[in-house]
Amino acid sequence: MVRPANRRPGQSRKAQYSLFVAYVIAVTGAVAGLLLAILSVVDPVGFAALRVASQEITAPVARVTRSVTGSISGVDDSVGAYVAAGSQNRRLRKELTETRRKLVATSSLQEENRQLKGLLKLQETDKAALANGYLLTSTSTSSKRLALLSIGRNLGVMAGQPVRGADGLIGRVLSSGPSVSQVLLLTDVDNIVPVRRASDGLPALANGRGNGDLDIRTLNIANNPFKPGDILVTSGTGGLYPPNIPVAIVVRRQDDGALARPLADPGKVDAVAVLRPYTPDNIEAQAVPAPTSAAPPAGAP
């Protein structure tokens, strides 16, 4: 026989117990709330202590909930950061490359300006300067140490003329074309320059080693007074190179002389000046005073 659909709870003991428990819970909650309300009015201090105690009981549950929430939020942040890391790294690398390029360009311009200012000052005071140009290329590994100069016979550059930078001697012109010239560098094995020590005028010879350095030998083989830090300049002996052009600095003393390093590195020098050769004719021309504008009349005392 089928049970009726509208069976009352009173006919089921389980349903009766469930309904009774629900009533008890509702009444208990209402009574507890009423008591708490009365307690908060009658004894605020005791109510505050009770509230603190309840918070202590529920604190572990709150900590666990917060930890779980934080972990989920951290996972979201990590995923978002990982997704954005690729594009951010590419952008940062691009900015770093651009900044480095600008820094190199700025440093190059500053060095070039320094060299140009130095040459301009030299040209104002040195009557031997003939023309200014740029070193286009220079060899660093070849057996011959050569450089290509950006000016030639169009500005009066001829073979045998000295070439110097703002920091010191570079070499001499080996051959000249219509608009470019070839320079034999100071460090070439075929280039020998008479020099003297700047501090006391001790004469010596500077000979290129072909590897970027110079051999310095005194004229008196028995005497080797060189020491690291000595500055060598051209002496003017034998002509060609005008005196007092900085040449090299001694880095190490050797048995038969010293090892020196050029003060003007062709690999780093851009602007250079071509000088008139230091010959007796040029020396006499510089020493002769300018003629007067009018000659005294005949018979004048």
Side-chain angles (χ1 to χ4, degrees), residues 139-143 145 169-170 185-193 205-217 232 247-252 254 258-266:
T139 58
S140 58
T141 57
S142 173
S143 58
R145 294 294 173 129
L169 187 66
I170 298 295
L185 297 178
L186 179 65
T187 54
D188 189 87
V189 294
D190 293 332
N191 209 342
I192 300 176
V193 180
L205 293 176
N207 189 190
R209 293 169 58 97
N211 61 355
D213 294 330
L214 300 172
D215 278 327
I216 308 299
R217 292 182 174 85
L232 303 171
V247 177
I249 181 172
V250 174
V251 295
R252 187 173 70 248
Q254 296 180 327
L259 179 69
R261 186 163 298 151
L263 292 173
D265 185 358

Short mmCIF file of all heavy atoms in Angstrom, two decimals, residues 139-143 145 169-170 185-193 205-217 232 247-252 254 258-266:
data_model
loop_
_atom_site.label_atom_id
_atom_site.label_comp_id
_atom_site.label_asym_id
_atom_site.label_seq_id
_atom_site.Cartn_x
_atom_site.Cartn_y
_atom_site.Cartn_z
N THR A 139 96.91 49.63 -38.45
CA THR A 139 97.16 48.20 -38.31
C THR A 139 97.67 47.91 -36.91
O THR A 139 98.45 48.67 -36.35
CB THR A 139 98.20 47.72 -39.34
OG1 THR A 139 99.41 48.47 -39.14
CG2 THR A 139 97.71 47.94 -40.75
N SER A 140 97.21 46.77 -36.33
CA SER A 140 97.63 46.40 -34.98
C SER A 140 98.30 45.04 -34.93
O SER A 140 98.95 44.69 -33.96
CB SER A 140 96.43 46.40 -34.04
OG SER A 140 95.45 45.49 -34.51
N THR A 141 98.16 44.23 -35.99
CA THR A 141 98.74 42.89 -35.99
C THR A 141 99.70 42.66 -37.15
O THR A 141 100.40 41.66 -37.18
CB THR A 141 97.62 41.83 -36.06
OG1 THR A 141 96.82 42.06 -37.23
CG2 THR A 141 96.71 41.92 -34.84
N SER A 142 99.72 43.57 -38.10
CA SER A 142 100.59 43.40 -39.26
C SER A 142 102.05 43.60 -38.87
O SER A 142 102.38 44.23 -37.87
CB SER A 142 100.20 44.39 -40.36
OG SER A 142 101.12 44.35 -41.42
N SER A 143 102.96 43.01 -39.70
CA SER A 143 104.39 43.20 -39.45
C SER A 143 104.78 44.66 -39.67
O SER A 143 105.77 45.14 -39.10
CB SER A 143 105.21 42.28 -40.36
OG SER A 143 104.90 42.55 -41.73
N ARG A 145 103.62 48.53 -39.20
CA ARG A 145 102.68 49.36 -38.45
C ARG A 145 102.39 50.62 -39.25
O ARG A 145 103.20 51.55 -39.29
CB ARG A 145 103.27 49.72 -37.09
CG ARG A 145 103.47 48.51 -36.17
CD ARG A 145 102.11 47.95 -35.81
NE ARG A 145 102.19 46.71 -35.08
CZ ARG A 145 101.56 46.49 -33.92
NH1 ARG A 145 100.82 47.43 -33.39
NH2 ARG A 145 101.64 45.31 -33.35
N LEU A 169 103.73 62.08 -30.31
CA LEU A 169 104.13 61.73 -31.67
C LEU A 169 103.42 60.46 -32.14
O LEU A 169 103.29 59.48 -31.39
CB LEU A 169 105.64 61.54 -31.72
CG LEU A 169 106.26 61.34 -33.11
CD1 LEU A 169 106.11 62.59 -33.95
CD2 LEU A 169 107.74 60.96 -32.97
N ILE A 170 102.98 60.47 -33.41
CA ILE A 170 102.32 59.31 -34.03
C ILE A 170 103.27 58.59 -34.97
O ILE A 170 103.34 57.36 -34.99
CB ILE A 170 101.06 59.74 -34.79
CG1 ILE A 170 100.03 60.37 -33.84
CG2 ILE A 170 100.44 58.57 -35.53
CD1 ILE A 170 99.48 59.40 -32.82
N LEU A 185 103.90 54.30 -38.48
CA LEU A 185 103.70 54.59 -37.07
C LEU A 185 105.01 54.54 -36.28
O LEU A 185 105.99 53.90 -36.69
CB LEU A 185 102.69 53.61 -36.47
CG LEU A 185 101.28 53.68 -37.07
CD1 LEU A 185 100.38 52.63 -36.43
CD2 LEU A 185 100.69 55.07 -36.89
N LEU A 186 104.98 55.17 -35.15
CA LEU A 186 106.14 55.23 -34.27
C LEU A 186 106.60 53.85 -33.82
O LEU A 186 107.79 53.63 -33.60
CB LEU A 186 105.77 56.09 -33.04
CG LEU A 186 106.82 56.29 -31.96
CD1 LEU A 186 107.99 57.08 -32.49
CD2 LEU A 186 106.19 57.01 -30.77
N THR A 187 105.68 52.90 -33.72
CA THR A 187 106.00 51.56 -33.20
C THR A 187 106.48 50.60 -34.27
O THR A 187 106.76 49.44 -33.96
CB THR A 187 104.75 50.97 -32.52
OG1 THR A 187 103.64 51.00 -33.44
CG2 THR A 187 104.38 51.76 -31.28
N ASP A 188 106.61 51.04 -35.52
CA ASP A 188 107.12 50.16 -36.57
C ASP A 188 108.63 49.93 -36.37
O ASP A 188 109.35 50.82 -35.90
CB ASP A 188 106.87 50.79 -37.95
CG ASP A 188 107.19 49.84 -39.08
OD1 ASP A 188 106.31 49.05 -39.45
OD2 ASP A 188 108.34 49.88 -39.56
N VAL A 189 109.09 48.74 -36.75
CA VAL A 189 110.50 48.39 -36.52
C VAL A 189 111.44 49.24 -37.36
O VAL A 189 112.65 49.34 -37.05
CB VAL A 189 110.73 46.89 -36.81
CG1 VAL A 189 109.99 46.03 -35.81
CG2 VAL A 189 110.31 46.54 -38.23
N ASP A 190 110.94 49.84 -38.43
CA ASP A 190 111.78 50.67 -39.29
C ASP A 190 111.79 52.14 -38.87
O ASP A 190 112.41 52.96 -39.55
CB ASP A 190 111.31 50.57 -40.74
CG ASP A 190 111.54 49.18 -41.32
OD1 ASP A 190 112.48 48.50 -40.85
OD2 ASP A 190 110.78 48.76 -42.21
N ASN A 191 111.09 52.46 -37.80
CA ASN A 191 111.01 53.86 -37.38
C ASN A 191 111.93 54.08 -36.17
O ASN A 191 111.75 53.47 -35.12
CB ASN A 191 109.57 54.22 -37.00
CG ASN A 191 109.29 55.69 -37.25
OD1 ASN A 191 110.20 56.49 -37.39
ND2 ASN A 191 108.00 56.02 -37.32
N ILE A 192 112.94 54.92 -36.35
CA ILE A 192 113.87 55.27 -35.28
C ILE A 192 113.78 56.77 -35.04
O ILE A 192 113.89 57.57 -35.98
CB ILE A 192 115.31 54.87 -35.65
CG1 ILE A 192 115.40 53.36 -35.90
CG2 ILE A 192 116.28 55.31 -34.56
CD1 ILE A 192 116.77 52.90 -36.36
N VAL A 193 113.56 57.14 -33.78
CA VAL A 193 113.36 58.55 -33.43
C VAL A 193 114.38 58.95 -32.37
O VAL A 193 114.47 58.32 -31.32
CB VAL A 193 111.93 58.79 -32.89
CG1 VAL A 193 111.74 60.26 -32.54
CG2 VAL A 193 110.90 58.34 -33.91
N LEU A 205 117.79 56.79 -28.27
CA LEU A 205 117.10 56.45 -29.51
C LEU A 205 115.90 55.57 -29.19
O LEU A 205 116.00 54.62 -28.42
CB LEU A 205 118.04 55.72 -30.48
CG LEU A 205 119.20 56.53 -31.05
CD1 LEU A 205 120.08 55.64 -31.92
CD2 LEU A 205 118.69 57.72 -31.86
N ALA A 206 114.75 55.90 -29.81
CA ALA A 206 113.53 55.10 -29.65
C ALA A 206 113.30 54.32 -30.94
O ALA A 206 113.23 54.90 -32.02
CB ALA A 206 112.34 56.00 -29.36
N ASN A 207 113.20 53.01 -30.80
CA ASN A 207 113.03 52.13 -31.95
C ASN A 207 111.78 51.29 -31.74
O ASN A 207 111.60 50.67 -30.69
CB ASN A 207 114.25 51.23 -32.10
CG ASN A 207 114.26 50.43 -33.39
OD1 ASN A 207 115.06 49.54 -33.57
ND2 ASN A 207 113.35 50.75 -34.32
N GLY A 208 110.91 51.26 -32.77
CA GLY A 208 109.69 50.47 -32.67
C GLY A 208 109.97 48.98 -32.58
O GLY A 208 110.91 48.47 -33.20
N ARG A 209 109.15 48.25 -31.82
CA ARG A 209 109.29 46.81 -31.67
C ARG A 209 108.32 46.04 -32.57
O ARG A 209 108.42 44.82 -32.69
CB ARG A 209 109.02 46.40 -30.21
CG ARG A 209 110.07 46.92 -29.25
CD ARG A 209 109.62 46.71 -27.80
NE ARG A 209 109.35 45.31 -27.51
CZ ARG A 209 110.22 44.48 -26.93
NH1 ARG A 209 111.42 44.93 -26.59
NH2 ARG A 209 109.90 43.23 -26.67
N GLY A 210 107.36 46.73 -33.19
CA GLY A 210 106.38 46.06 -34.04
C GLY A 210 105.22 45.45 -33.28
O GLY A 210 104.34 44.84 -33.88
N ASN A 211 105.19 45.60 -31.95
CA ASN A 211 104.09 45.04 -31.15
C ASN A 211 103.38 46.10 -30.33
O ASN A 211 102.64 45.79 -29.39
CB ASN A 211 104.63 43.96 -30.21
CG ASN A 211 105.66 44.49 -29.23
OD1 ASN A 211 106.06 45.66 -29.30
ND2 ASN A 211 106.10 43.64 -28.32
N GLY A 212 103.60 47.37 -30.65
CA GLY A 212 102.96 48.45 -29.92
C GLY A 212 103.84 49.12 -28.89
O GLY A 212 103.44 50.14 -28.31
N ASP A 213 105.04 48.60 -28.64
CA ASP A 213 105.96 49.17 -27.66
C ASP A 213 107.21 49.71 -28.35
O ASP A 213 107.40 49.54 -29.56
CB ASP A 213 106.35 48.14 -26.60
CG ASP A 213 105.17 47.73 -25.73
OD1 ASP A 213 104.27 48.56 -25.54
OD2 ASP A 213 105.14 46.57 -25.28
N LEU A 214 108.09 50.32 -27.55
CA LEU A 214 109.32 50.92 -28.06
C LEU A 214 110.52 50.42 -27.25
O LEU A 214 110.41 50.23 -26.03
CB LEU A 214 109.25 52.45 -27.98
CG LEU A 214 108.15 53.16 -28.76
CD1 LEU A 214 108.13 54.63 -28.39
CD2 LEU A 214 108.34 52.98 -30.25
N ASP A 215 111.64 50.24 -27.94
CA ASP A 215 112.91 49.98 -27.28
C ASP A 215 113.66 51.30 -27.15
O ASP A 215 113.80 52.04 -28.14
CB ASP A 215 113.76 48.99 -28.09
CG ASP A 215 113.35 47.55 -27.85
OD1 ASP A 215 112.93 47.24 -26.72
OD2 ASP A 215 113.43 46.74 -28.79
N ILE A 216 114.12 51.61 -25.96
CA ILE A 216 114.87 52.84 -25.71
C ILE A 216 116.31 52.44 -25.39
O ILE A 216 116.56 51.66 -24.47
CB ILE A 216 114.27 53.65 -24.54
CG1 ILE A 216 112.77 53.87 -24.77
CG2 ILE A 216 115.00 54.97 -24.39
CD1 ILE A 216 112.44 54.65 -26.02
N ARG A 217 117.24 53.00 -26.15
CA ARG A 217 118.66 52.70 -25.94
C ARG A 217 119.44 54.00 -25.81
O ARG A 217 119.27 54.92 -26.63
CB ARG A 217 119.22 51.86 -27.08
CG ARG A 217 118.65 50.44 -27.12
CD ARG A 217 119.28 49.63 -28.23
NE ARG A 217 118.85 48.24 -28.18
CZ ARG A 217 117.73 47.78 -28.72
NH1 ARG A 217 116.93 48.61 -29.35
NH2 ARG A 217 117.42 46.49 -28.62
N LEU A 232 109.85 60.62 -22.25
CA LEU A 232 110.77 60.87 -23.35
C LEU A 232 110.11 61.78 -24.37
O LEU A 232 108.93 61.60 -24.71
CB LEU A 232 111.17 59.54 -24.01
CG LEU A 232 111.79 58.50 -23.06
CD1 LEU A 232 111.95 57.17 -23.78
CD2 LEU A 232 113.13 58.99 -22.54
N VAL A 247 106.85 61.64 -26.64
CA VAL A 247 106.99 60.40 -27.40
C VAL A 247 106.48 59.20 -26.61
O VAL A 247 105.59 58.48 -27.06
CB VAL A 247 108.45 60.16 -27.82
CG1 VAL A 247 108.59 58.82 -28.54
CG2 VAL A 247 108.93 61.29 -28.73
N ALA A 248 107.06 58.93 -25.43
CA ALA A 248 106.73 57.69 -24.72
C ALA A 248 107.03 57.84 -23.24
O ALA A 248 107.66 58.81 -22.80
CB ALA A 248 107.54 56.53 -25.30
N ILE A 249 106.59 56.83 -22.49
CA ILE A 249 106.88 56.73 -21.07
C ILE A 249 107.51 55.37 -20.78
O ILE A 249 107.06 54.35 -21.32
CB ILE A 249 105.60 56.94 -20.21
CG1 ILE A 249 105.95 56.85 -18.73
CG2 ILE A 249 104.52 55.95 -20.59
CD1 ILE A 249 104.78 57.24 -17.82
N VAL A 250 108.57 55.36 -20.00
CA VAL A 250 109.28 54.11 -19.69
C VAL A 250 108.42 53.27 -18.73
O VAL A 250 107.93 53.78 -17.72
CB VAL A 250 110.65 54.41 -19.06
CG1 VAL A 250 111.32 53.12 -18.61
CG2 VAL A 250 111.54 55.14 -20.07
N VAL A 251 108.25 51.99 -19.07
CA VAL A 251 107.46 51.08 -18.23
C VAL A 251 108.33 50.03 -17.55
O VAL A 251 107.95 49.49 -16.51
CB VAL A 251 106.35 50.38 -19.05
CG1 VAL A 251 105.34 51.40 -19.55
CG2 VAL A 251 106.94 49.60 -20.22
N ARG A 252 109.50 49.74 -18.13
CA ARG A 252 110.38 48.74 -17.52
C ARG A 252 111.82 48.95 -17.96
O ARG A 252 112.08 49.26 -19.12
CB ARG A 252 109.90 47.33 -17.89
CG ARG A 252 110.67 46.23 -17.16
CD ARG A 252 110.08 44.85 -17.40
NE ARG A 252 110.28 44.38 -18.76
CZ ARG A 252 109.31 44.21 -19.64
NH1 ARG A 252 108.05 44.48 -19.32
NH2 ARG A 252 109.57 43.77 -20.85
N GLN A 254 115.52 47.58 -18.89
CA GLN A 254 116.09 46.37 -19.48
C GLN A 254 117.61 46.42 -19.39
O GLN A 254 118.20 47.44 -19.01
CB GLN A 254 115.64 46.22 -20.94
CG GLN A 254 114.14 46.02 -21.09
CD GLN A 254 113.71 45.88 -22.53
OE1 GLN A 254 114.30 46.49 -23.42
NE2 GLN A 254 112.68 45.08 -22.76
N ALA A 258 115.64 50.38 -22.04
CA ALA A 258 114.35 50.37 -21.36
C ALA A 258 113.25 50.04 -22.35
O ALA A 258 113.42 50.18 -23.57
CB ALA A 258 114.08 51.72 -20.69
N LEU A 259 112.13 49.57 -21.82
CA LEU A 259 110.93 49.34 -22.61
C LEU A 259 109.96 50.47 -22.33
O LEU A 259 109.69 50.80 -21.17
CB LEU A 259 110.29 48.00 -22.24
CG LEU A 259 108.99 47.63 -22.97
CD1 LEU A 259 109.29 47.34 -24.44
CD2 LEU A 259 108.33 46.42 -22.31
N ALA A 260 109.45 51.08 -23.39
CA ALA A 260 108.58 52.25 -23.24
C ALA A 260 107.28 52.04 -24.02
O ALA A 260 107.22 51.23 -24.94
CB ALA A 260 109.29 53.52 -23.73
N ARG A 261 106.28 52.80 -23.63
CA ARG A 261 104.97 52.75 -24.28
C ARG A 261 104.64 54.12 -24.84
O ARG A 261 104.78 55.14 -24.14
CB ARG A 261 103.91 52.31 -23.28
CG ARG A 261 102.54 52.07 -23.86
CD ARG A 261 101.71 51.25 -22.89
NE ARG A 261 102.32 49.94 -22.67
CZ ARG A 261 102.20 49.26 -21.55
NH1 ARG A 261 101.51 49.74 -20.54
NH2 ARG A 261 102.78 48.08 -21.42
N PRO A 262 104.20 54.21 -26.10
CA PRO A 262 103.89 55.52 -26.69
C PRO A 262 102.80 56.24 -25.90
O PRO A 262 101.86 55.63 -25.41
CB PRO A 262 103.40 55.17 -28.10
CG PRO A 262 103.97 53.83 -28.38
CD PRO A 262 104.03 53.11 -27.07
N LEU A 263 102.96 57.55 -25.79
CA LEU A 263 101.94 58.36 -25.10
C LEU A 263 100.70 58.55 -25.95
O LEU A 263 99.61 58.74 -25.41
CB LEU A 263 102.55 59.71 -24.72
CG LEU A 263 103.65 59.66 -23.64
CD1 LEU A 263 104.29 61.04 -23.47
CD2 LEU A 263 103.07 59.18 -22.32
N ALA A 264 100.85 58.52 -27.26
CA ALA A 264 99.72 58.64 -28.18
C ALA A 264 99.48 57.28 -28.83
O ALA A 264 100.29 56.83 -29.63
CB ALA A 264 99.99 59.71 -29.23
N ASP A 265 98.39 56.64 -28.48
CA ASP A 265 98.05 55.32 -29.02
C ASP A 265 97.31 55.51 -30.35
O ASP A 265 96.21 56.07 -30.37
CB ASP A 265 97.17 54.56 -28.04
CG ASP A 265 96.88 53.14 -28.50
OD1 ASP A 265 97.34 52.76 -29.60
OD2 ASP A 265 96.20 52.39 -27.77
N PRO A 266 97.87 55.04 -31.49
CA PRO A 266 97.20 55.23 -32.77
C PRO A 266 95.82 54.59 -32.83
O PRO A 266 94.95 55.05 -33.58
CB PRO A 266 98.16 54.57 -33.77
CG PRO A 266 99.48 54.55 -33.08
CD PRO A 266 99.18 54.39 -31.63
#
